[in-house]
Amino acid sequence: MAENHRKDEGFVELGYAKADTDRARRQQAAEVIYGEGKSVEQIAGIVEALLAHGQERVLVTRLDADKAAELAVRKADAFDSHPLRYYDEPRIGIFGDMPPADGKGTVLVIAAGTSDIAVAEEAAVTAEFLGNEVERCYDVGVSGIHRLLARLDVIEKARVIVAVAGLEGALPSVVGGLASAPVIAVPTSVGYGASFGGLAALLGMLNSCASGVSVVNIDNGFGAAFQASLINHLP
Amino acid sequence: MAENHRKDEGFVELGYAKADTDRARRQQAAEVIYGEGKSVEQIAGIVEALLAHGQERVLVTRLDADKAAELAVRKADAFDSHPLRYYDEPRIGIFGDMPPADGKGTVLVIAAGTSDIAVAEEAAVTAEFLGNEVERCYDVGVSGIHRLLARLDVIEKARVIVAVAGLEGALPSVVGGLASAPVIAVPTSVGYGASFGGLAALLGMLNSCASGVSVVNIDNGFGAAFQASLINHLP
Amino acid sequence: MAENHRKDEGFVELGYAKADTDRARRQQAAEVIYGEGKSVEQIAGIVEALLAHGQERVLVTRLDADKAAELAVRKADAFDSHPLRYYDEPRIGIFGDMPPADGKGTVLVIAAGTSDIAVAEEAAVTAEFLGNEVERCYDVGVSGIHRLLARLDVIEKARVIVAVAGLEGALPSVVGGLASAPVIAVPTSVGYGASFGGLAALLGMLNSCASGVSVVNIDNGFGAAFQASLINHLP
Amino acid sequence: MAENHRKDEGFVELGYAKADTDRARRQQAAEVIYGEGKSVEQIAGIVEALLAHGQERVLVTRLDADKAAELAVRKADAFDSHPLRYYDEPRIGIFGDMPPADGKGTVLVIAAGTSDIAVAEEAAVTAEFLGNEVERCYDVGVSGIHRLLARLDVIEKARVIVAVAGLEGALPSVVGGLASAPVIAVPTSVGYGASFGGLAALLGMLNSCASGVSVVNIDNGFGAAFQASLINHLP
Amino acid sequence: MAENHRKDEGFVELGYAKADTDRARRQQAAEVIYGEGKSVEQIAGIVEALLAHGQERVLVTRLDADKAAELAVRKADAFDSHPLRYYDEPRIGIFGDMPPADGKGTVLVIAAGTSDIAVAEEAAVTAEFLGNEVERCYDVGVSGIHRLLARLDVIEKARVIVAVAGLEGALPSVVGGLASAPVIAVPTSVGYGASFGGLAALLGMLNSCASGVSVVNIDNGFGAAFQASLINHLP
Amino acid sequence: MAENHRKDEGFVELGYAKADTDRARRQQAAEVIYGEGKSVEQIAGIVEALLAHGQERVLVTRLDADKAAELAVRKADAFDSHPLRYYDEPRIGIFGDMPPADGKGTVLVIAAGTSDIAVAEEAAVTAEFLGNEVERCYDVGVSGIHRLLARLDVIEKARVIVAVAGLEGALPSVVGGLASAPVIAVPTSVGYGASFGGLAALLGMLNSCASGVSVVNIDNGFGAAFQASLINHLP
Amino acid sequence: MAENHRKDEGFVELGYAKADTDRARRQQAAEVIYGEGKSVEQIAGIVEALLAHGQERVLVTRLDADKAAELAVRKADAFDSHPLRYYDEPRIGIFGDMPPADGKGTVLVIAAGTSDIAVAEEAAVTAEFLGNEVERCYDVGVSGIHRLLARLDVIEKARVIVAVAGLEGALPSVVGGLASAPVIAVPTSVGYGASFGGLAALLGMLNSCASGVSVVNIDNGFGAAFQASLINHLP
Amino acid sequence: MAENHRKDEGFVELGYAKADTDRARRQQAAEVIYGEGKSVEQIAGIVEALLAHGQERVLVTRLDADKAAELAVRKADAFDSHPLRYYDEPRIGIFGDMPPADGKGTVLVIAAGTSDIAVAEEAAVTAEFLGNEVERCYDVGVSGIHRLLARLDVIEKARVIVAVAGLEGALPSVVGGLASAPVIAVPTSVGYGASFGGLAALLGMLNSCASGVSVVNIDNGFGAAFQASLINHLP
C-alpha cells in the first residue's frame, strides 16, 4: 500500500487512514483519534500528520495504558514539542497542552455511581480538551435522591449537562426534570444480568419521561462531551 | 369432551379447565380467573363451579366490557347472589361483595403517569378484593420530582408499595430509595418506539439501583397486588 | 377519586394527573401534553388547569384527528380565548397562538424521505411553538447525496439541526460531518422487515461515525425539537 | 478530585463516592457495597467511612478472592475491630460480626440445581447479615419433582421464600403454587445456548403461572435477600 | 403462469404449488396443507390434485372458518366423496374420513392452561388424522401441581407425549421428569408482556432441566403431532 | 410549504419530495417510487414530475389496490400516455409499457413455498420492468429436494438467481451450492412463532454455508431484482 | 452444610446435590452429571453416591480435560472398579464400561460441517452410553447436496436421526424431507457474526419446512441423544 | 473414525470432512477452507487432499498466525510445491501462487474506517486469489464525505464494489447512490456499545435506502469477494 502523503482535498492520505485536516474548519474542533484497534504505529502516524498540518493538540480515546507507555517512550522524540499526557481512568491520551476554557458557561458532568466514573471522566477530560470549564458531580444515583438534591445549585447553574449512568439509567430523567439546561445522557455498560451490557440504561434514557434529554451510545463519554462543547461554544 | 364434574383431589374437572378449589387453603386467597382468551361460557362455568364450592367472591381480570355486559345480563340468574360489578379502567369483574380490609397495614399503589392508571387500578382493585386497605398516588413521575417528594408521608407510612411505571420505569428506583417498605415494581407497556412494548421499563426495574425492589411481568397489576396482599397479611 | 384542585407545591391535582405548573420556571418552557392514551375529558381538564394557571398556550402531541375535532367543537366554549389549531400531518394540537420566534438562530429540520415528514413536522411545529425560527429541508436521503450537498448553505447557517430519518438512519452521520452545529437525530419507524419498527435507524444513529450527534427515541420529533429549542435559547 | 469528607446531608463525600449514612434510618438496613469494578482502595475507603459513622457491620458483594485477601492482609489494621470474613462460594465479604436473627420468621432459600448454589448462597448469607434465620434447600429442580415434594414441610413453614433457578427457571412456579408465603424469584445465568445468560430463566419467572411471585435481576441473590429481609422484619 | 399439470417426478405442478405426491412413500404420511396465506382457490386446487393422485384424506391447518365455509359450500361438488369436516377450536379442516388408529400405543396431549387448548387440539386432531389413539389431559399447569400428579397414570402409560404450554412453559420439564416416554414440547403464544409472543415459553422449553424433551415452533401443534405419530408408528 | 418546481441540480423539488431525475444517468435505471405511506396525491405528483422530465416508465412498489384504483380512475387524464397497469399479487403499479429485455442472460426467480409467491413476483415483475428476461420456478422448498433437483437445468443456465424463502430460509444455501451464478437471497416474512416476522429466514440466509450468496431486506423482492438487473446488464 | 446421606425418597442427599437414584426406574436411564460449573470434589461425590447405589455406569458431560485428568489420577482408588474413560472431542467422561447396544434399530448422527463434530460426538457417545448402535455421517452440509444424497441409504435405514448443524441450520430440513424416521435437530454455536452464538441455526430449525423435526438447545448433543435413545428403546 | 479416502461422487472422504472436489466444476472456483475451529492436522489433511486432486491453489480463511507458522514449518515438506503465504491483517493463508487476474473489470474494495481494514483485506486478498484485479480505497467514512467524493473516479469505473463498514454502516448507502455497479455490503463488528457486535451495521445495510445493495454476514469479507468474483467473471 503506497504511503504517498497527499496533502490536498482536506485530508492526508496515510494508506491506512485519511487524516481529516479539514475538520477544524468544518466542526470548530480538531481531529480526534479513536484508539481501539489501532496499532501504536498507526496512532503515531496519524498524530504526526495532524501535528505537521498545524493542529495544536490531539486527543486519543480508548488508549490502553500499554500503548500509551510505548507512545510516550519509544516515540518520545517525535512528540517532544507535544508530549503525551495519559489519563488512566478514562484511558485518554493527549498530545500537547490543554487549551484555555473559552466556552460560554460550565459543562456539568454528573454520574450515578462510582463504577460510572471511568465514562464520566472520558466526558470530563474531553470537554476540557475542547476548551470547556467542567464541573464534576459523582455518585448521585436516584436511589439516594437526597444526594442529588443536595447539589441542585450546580445543576441549575450549568449551561450543558452530561448525565452518566448505568443500571436502569434513571439519572437523566430526574436531572432533566430539575434543570433548564439541555441534558446529554450517556448510558454505561455498568451492571450485570438483565443490564445486557448497557442496553437497559440505553433504553431507559431513550424513553426518558423528561423533555430536553438526548442520548449517545453506551459508554460514549467522548461523544457526549463533543456535543456539549459544541453547545457551550455557540455564540 | 366429557363434562363430568369430579369434585375430588382439590379441583373441579370442567374438561376445558380444572378449577382449583384447594387454592384458598394453600395460598390464603381464592381462585382468580384470567379472562383473556376465555369465552363467556367458559368464564361463567368456572365462576359457577367456584361459587358452588363455597367460595365467597370471584375476580376476573382482563375482562372485556362486552363480555362483562353479556355475563351481567345473560347470566344474571346464575349469579343473582353474587352479582357482577365491573371496573372499566382496569377491565376487572368481581362476582360478590368486596371483603373487609383485614391486612395489617396499607398497600400504596403509586403510578408514574396518567397513562399508567389502568394498570395501577388493576393492582388497586385486586388488592381491595384480597382484603387490603389501598392508598392511591398517581402521576408522580420522576421528571417532576417535587410532585413525588410532596407525598413522602404516604410513602413512609405504607406497609407494602406497588410502583407502576412505563417509559423508562424509573419510579421504583426513586421510591425504593425513599421507602423502608418492600416495593413491587410493575412495568407498563406505556410508551412508543424504543419502549418495545414495556421492555425498556421492565429492564429498568430489574436493574434498579435501589435495594428492596422486585418486579412482575409487564402490565401485571394483578400479580403485584397479589404478592402485596400476601405480604400485608403476614401475621 | 377526589377532584380537589390543590394549587400548591407547583402542581395542580386532578386525580388522574398532577398538572405541573412549575415547569415553565424550571425548564423555561410550558407544560406539554402527550395525547396518546388520554381521553378527551382528560386532555381538556389538563389544558383548562394550565390555562387557568396563567399559561399562554398549550401543545398536545399525538392527538388523533377525531379527538381534536371533539375538542374543537364540544369544548369550544372552554377554550374560546385559546382556540385549538390542529396540524394534521404531525397530529399536533395547539391551544392559543404561536409565540414570536425569540431564539438566537435557526433550527434546521432536515428529513431523509417523504415518509419521514410526519415526524419531521412534529419537530418543526414543536420548535415553532417553543419560539424558534424553523427551516425545513426534506427528502435529502443519502442515496442521492447531490440533493443534500445542494443544501449545504442551510446546513452551515443553522444553529441547531434536527435530522430525521428512517431505514438505515444514515442522514445524521453525513450531516454531522458537514455541520458545525449540534445535531439531534430522530430515528423514525419508517421501513419494513429488518427495520424492526425503527430499531435499525436508532442503532445506526447511536453508532454514528460523526461526532456531535445525539439521539432521541424513535419517532420522537417533539423531544428533539424541545432540546433544540433549549439550545437555541441559550443566552 | 478533592477528598474533603463532608459529613452532612446524610452522606459522606469521598469524591469517587457519596457513602450514604442515612440509609439505615430510611431503609432499616445499613449501606452495602457492590464490589465489582471498585478498587481495593475504594472499597476500603467506603468501609472506613461507614464504620467511622457508627455502622456496626458492612457487607461487600461480588468481592473477588484476590481483593478480599488484600483487604484482609494489607488493611488489617484499619479493620481490626471489624475483621473481614470472606465467603468463597458467593464471593461475599463481611466486616464485623453477624447480627442476631431478629426477623419474625424464617427465610427459605431454595435452589434448583447444584450450579445455582453460588447465587443461592449470596442470598442466604445476605439474609443472615440482615438479621434473618435462614433455611437452605438445594438441588430440588422440577425435573425430579419428588425431591421437591419431600420438602413440603419447610416450604409451608417459611415466612418468605427466595427461589433460585437457572435453565428454564420453573422452580418458582411450582413453589409458588405450593406455598402461601411470598416468593421472590432469582434467575441465574446457569445454562448455555438458548439460556442467553439467564434470559430464559428470567422470562420464565416473569411469566410464571403462579401468583405471588416477583422477580429480581439475573444472579441478584443479594437483592432478593434484601427484599426478603424487609418482609421478614415487617412488624 | 402456465397450469400444465405435469404428473411426474413425484409432484404435481400447479404453477403456484408443486403438490408433493411422493411424500406418502418417503414419510409414511400424506401431504398436509398449511392454510395460512393460501386462497380458497389454491387450497381447493391442491386438495383436488392430491385426491386425484389417490390420497385418501387431506388435512388443512390454520384454516379460517370463513374459508372453510366457502370450501364446504361452493366447492361441495368437487369434494363430495371426501366431504370437509371442520374443527373450530384448532382451525383444522379434514377432507375424507379419519383413519383407524394403527399406532403402537397412545399419544398423550397434555396442556397447561385453558388458553392453550386451541394448540393442544391442533396436535390432538392431527395425531388422530395420522392414525393414532389420543389421550387428552388439559389445564394441569405446574402452579397447581396436585392436578398434574393426579394424572400420573396417563402420563406413565403414554408411548409419546405432546406437552403444550404458554407463559413460562414449565410443564414439559415436570412431565419429562415423571415420564419415561419421549416428550415433544409445544410452546404457545399464550401470555402477555414479557412472554413476547411465546418466546418465554420457547426458551424455557429449550432450556428444560429434564432430559428427553425436544421442542417445536411456537403454536406448532401440528408439527409436534406429526413427529409423535412417526414415533408411535415405529415398528 | 412552497411548491416551486426547481428543475436543476438533478432533482425536481416538490416540497414533500425531491424527485431524482439524475438517477437514470447515475444508476442506469429510472427512479422508482416506494408507495407505502405515500398519499395518492404524492404518488401522482412524483410520477408526473418524472414523466415530464422524460422518463419513459415509472414503477410503484407496495401500492395498495385501493390507491391503484384511484390513480387509474381519478388521475386517468394525467397519465393517458402512460396508463397504469396493476399487478395484484406483488402490489406493483407500472405507468407506461414494459421495456424490451436487453439484459445479457436470464434472471431466475426461485421461491420455496406458495406463500412466498407475492414477494417472488415483486422480484420478477421488477426485473421485467428493468429490461430482463425472467424465469420463474416456485414451490421448490428444500423439504422436498426432488422438486428442486428436477429443475437443475434452469438453475444452471441462469445468469443471476433471486432465491426467495420464508421459514428457515434454506433454499439459497442449496441453490448456492448447485449454481455457478451469483445468488441474491430474499427472506420473506412467511412463517409464525419463532420466525419473528422473517428474522429466522434472514439470519439463515446471512449465515448460509454456501458461497456466492448475498442477502437483501425481508420481503424486499424489489431490491433483489434491482441488483440482479444491474448484474445482468453488466457489459 | 451437613453431609448426612439420607437414602430414602429416591435420592441421596449430598448437601450440594440430591443425587436422583430413582431416575433409572422412572426414565429407563441412569443419572447423568452435567459437569460444567461443578468442582472435581462435587463430581466425584455424586459419582460415588450413584455407584454405591448400584448404578453400573455414570456419564459426565461438559467435563474439562483438566478435571478429567484429576479425577482419573487423584481419585483412581475410588473408581477402580469403574475406571474413567475420557472422550476428548465431546469432552465426555464415562465411569464404567459401555453397555451392549440393546435398542431396536440404529441412531444416525449426521453433521453438517467439520466444526460441528464436537457436538455430534457428544450425541454419538451419549447414545452409545445409553445402549444404542450409532451410525455417524459427517460433513454433509447442504451447500454440497451431492455429498448428502450419496448417503441416502444410511438416512433411509436409521430408526432415529440426530441432525447437527451450525450456521443456517438447514440440514434437518433437507434430511427431514428425505427420511421417514423422526429427526431431532441440534443447532450448534458454530458460526460468527449474525449467527449470534447459534441463534440463527436454532431459529432455522424451529422454522423447518420439513415435518417430523423437533429441536433441542444449542450445542445440546446430549439431550438429542437422550431422546433418540428413548425412542430407539420403545418396545 | 475410519480414514478411507474414497475418491468418488465428487468428494474425498476424510472422516472429519468430505473435501468437495466437485466445486470447481459447479461454481467455477476451487474449494476454500474456513480455518476457525479446525486443527492444524485437519487443515493440512484437507489441503493435501485438494492438491492431490489437482487443485492449483488453496485459500484458508480465519487462520491464526500460530497455526500458519506451524503449517509453514512443520508441514513444509508436504507443501513444498505449494508453499504457504500468510497475510497477517486478514489472517488468510494461501497455498500456491496467485492466479492471473482474468475477470472482466475491477473489483473495488472500499472501507469506511481504519479499523475496518482487516475485513476489507479479507475481501481484497480473496478477490485476488479468485482472479480479479482489485482496487482499494480505505478510510472514506461518510462523516467526512469530501474524502469519499474525492474518489468518485474509482467508484464510477468499478465493475463490482465491496463496501465494508462498521458502526452505523452507512457507507454502502452513499456509495450505492453514486455508483452504477452492484454493491455488496459487508458489515463489520467494529464498534462498541449499541453496535452489538456489528448488528447495527448489519441492520443499517439491510435497510439501505439505496437500490442495488445486497449484504453478507458480519465480517464476511470472504463471502463478499466470492460473490464479487462470480459477478466479475460473468461472460
Side-chain angles (χ1 to χ4, degrees), chain F residues 41-230:
Chain F
E41 291 305 323
Q42 288 177 328
I43 293 169
I46 302 173
V47 173
E48 280 182 275
L50 292 168
L51 295 177
H53 216 263
Q55 195 166 312
E56 287 179 55
R57 61 191 65 82
V58 179
L59 181 142
V60 188
T61 63
R62 312 268 163 136
L63 180 65
D64 287 342
D66 287 356
K67 287 185 193 169
E70 207 176 334
L71 281 165
V73 173
R74 193 155 57 81
K75 298 282 182 180
D77 290 353
F79 306 119
D80 56 356
S81 64
H82 295 78
L84 174 67
R85 183 185 316 187
Y86 187 65
Y87 297 78
D88 199 66
E89 204 151 25
R91 296 194 300 139
I92 282 180
I94 293 180
F95 292 86
D97 297 325
M98 281 289 191
D102 58 357
K104 294 197 83 174
T106 303
V107 173
L108 169 63
V109 179
I110 191 166
T114 299
S115 310
D116 300 315
I117 291 181
V119 175
E121 280 296 304
E122 184 180 293
V125 172
T126 299
E128 287 167 347
F129 173 85
L130 295 170
N132 299 277
E133 193 184 322
V134 174
E135 177 92 16
R136 288 157 170 92
C137 179
Y138 294 164
D139 200 23
V140 290
V142 301
S143 70
I145 199 81
H146 62 300
R147 298 180 301 185
L148 182 63
L149 297 176
R151 305 305 302 276
L152 258 182
D153 55 335
V154 298
I155 291 173
E156 284 176 350
K157 78 163 197 263
R159 188 172 162 91
V160 200
I161 299 176
V162 174
V164 182
L167 301 175
E168 82 275 61
L171 183 62
S173 293
V174 179
V175 169
L178 296 169
S180 62
V183 174
I184 305 169
V186 189
T188 73
S189 53
V190 168
Y192 60 91
S195 130
F196 295 121
L199 178 63
L202 172 64
L203 293 182
M205 290 170 176
L206 287 167
N207 286 282
S208 176
C209 56
S211 301
V213 176
S214 64
V215 188
V216 297
N217 196 0
I218 297 164
D219 291 336
N220 190 6
F222 165 75
F226 192 97
Q227 196 184 52
S229 179
L230 285 185

Side-chain angles (χ1 to χ4, degrees), chain A:
Chain A
M1 205 179 302
E3 286 272 344
N4 57 320
H5 290 234
R6 277 186 286 155
K7 289 192 181 177
D8 46 53
E9 302 161 315
F11 59 86
V12 181
E13 173 66 68
L14 300 173
Y16 55 84
K18 291 186 175 54
D20 191 338
T21 52
D22 187 46
R23 184 162 296 176
R25 185 191 62 71
R26 287 198 328 279
Q27 289 214 333
Q28 302 177 331
E31 177 90 334
V32 169
I33 301 172
Y34 177 67
E36 191 95 45
K38 291 205 180 67
S39 68
V40 166
E41 290 305 323
Q42 288 177 329
I43 293 169
I46 302 174
V47 172
E48 281 182 275
L50 291 169
L51 295 177
H53 215 266
Q55 195 166 311
E56 286 178 54
R57 62 191 63 84
V58 179
L59 182 142
V60 188
T61 64
R62 312 266 164 138
L63 181 65
D64 287 342
D66 288 355
K67 288 186 193 168
E70 208 176 334
L71 281 165
V73 174
R74 194 155 58 79
K75 299 281 183 182
D77 291 354
F79 306 120
D80 57 354
S81 64
H82 295 78
L84 174 67
R85 182 183 318 185
Y86 187 64
Y87 297 78
D88 199 66
E89 202 151 26
R91 297 196 296 141
I92 281 180
I94 293 180
F95 292 86
D97 296 326
M98 281 288 193
D102 58 357
K104 295 199 81 174
T106 303
V107 173
L108 169 64
V109 178
I110 190 165
T114 300
S115 311
D116 300 316
I117 291 180
V119 175
E121 280 296 304
E122 184 179 293
V125 173
T126 298
E128 287 167 347
F129 173 84
L130 295 170
N132 298 277
E133 192 184 324
V134 174
E135 176 92 17
R136 287 156 170 93
C137 178
Y138 294 164
D139 199 25
V140 289
V142 302
S143 70
I145 199 80
H146 61 299
R147 297 180 301 185
L148 182 64
L149 298 177
R151 305 304 300 277
L152 258 182
D153 53 335
V154 298
I155 292 172
E156 283 176 351
K157 79 164 195 261
R159 188 171 162 92
V160 200
I161 298 176
V162 173
V164 181
L167 300 176
E168 83 275 60
L171 183 62
S173 292
V174 178
V175 170
L178 294 170
S180 62
V183 175
I184 305 169
V186 189
T188 73
S189 54
V190 168
Y192 61 91
S195 130
F196 295 121
L199 178 63
L202 171 63
L203 293 182
M205 291 170 175
L206 286 167
N207 285 283
S208 175
C209 57
S211 302
V213 176
S214 64
V215 188
V216 296
N217 196 0
I218 298 164
D219 291 336
N220 190 7
F222 165 75
F226 192 97
Q227 195 183 53
S229 179
L230 284 186
I231 295 171
N232 194 33
H233 284 81
L234 284 176

Side-chain angles (χ1 to χ4, degrees), chain D residues 13 41 67 94 96 110 112 128 161 201 209:
Chain D
E13 173 65 68
E41 290 306 323
K67 287 186 193 168
I94 292 179
I110 192 166
E128 287 167 349
I161 299 176
C209 56

